[in-house]
Amino acid sequence: MNKKGQALVEFVIILPVVILLFFAGIDIGRVIIRTNELESLTTDVVDLYKSGSTYEEILSYIKETNENNTLKITNKDNEYVEFNLESKVDFITPGLNRILGSTFLA
């Protein structure tokens, strides 16, 4: 009975799952980091808005940090202002693109 052959077959079966989990962990970390960066950037955008900066100035500021950033400012009933800041994160995990789509909006 050849135990080396059995170990090789088990390794070949398990390896793709381990690789998938490894890259999925990296992608989840990238989304969490990008979300944290956007929260910090939102604070800067609110400060710029309060200081009287124009929409174009604010938009150029957020584009300096990342070209994938998009900003939408909505004035709600003249009582408060809503800021929507998004950024696309491209996945590197093979197969995760088919499950969640090619990009994720953080």
Side-chain angles (χ1 to χ4, degrees):
M1 196 162 172
N2 190 354
K3 297 277 185 183
K4 290 182 182 180
Q6 178 185 355
L8 179 64
V9 170
E10 290 174 358
F11 177 74
V12 168
I13 291 172
I14 296 298
L15 183 64
V17 175
V18 171
I19 290 173
L20 181 70
L21 290 174
F22 177 73
F23 282 117
I26 291 173
D27 279 337
I28 290 170
R30 290 176 62 221
V31 168
I32 291 171
I33 289 170
R34 191 69 197 131
T35 302
N36 191 18
E37 290 172 354
L38 286 178
E39 288 175 3
S40 175
L41 189 58
T42 302
T43 304
D44 295 341
V45 167
V46 170
D47 290 340
L48 286 172
Y49 185 81
K50 281 195 221 178
S51 69
S53 298
T54 65
Y55 178 77
E56 289 77 21
E57 292 171 342
I58 296 172
L59 192 59
S60 68
Y61 175 75
I62 67 164
K63 291 289 184 180
E64 287 175 5
T65 58
N66 190 338
E67 284 294 320
N68 292 326
N69 291 342
T70 58
L71 175 67
K72 181 180 174 186
I73 300 175
T74 308
N75 194 351
K76 297 283 187 173
D77 301 327
N78 291 327
E79 293 182 18
Y80 63 93
V81 178
E82 181 179 297
F83 296 92
N84 185 6
L85 189 59
E86 295 179 344
S87 183
K88 291 182 180 181
V89 179
D90 296 322
F91 294 123
I92 59 172
T93 305
L96 196 58
N97 294 343
R98 291 185 179 180
I99 297 170
L100 298 176
S102 60
T103 58
F104 183 80
L105 291 178

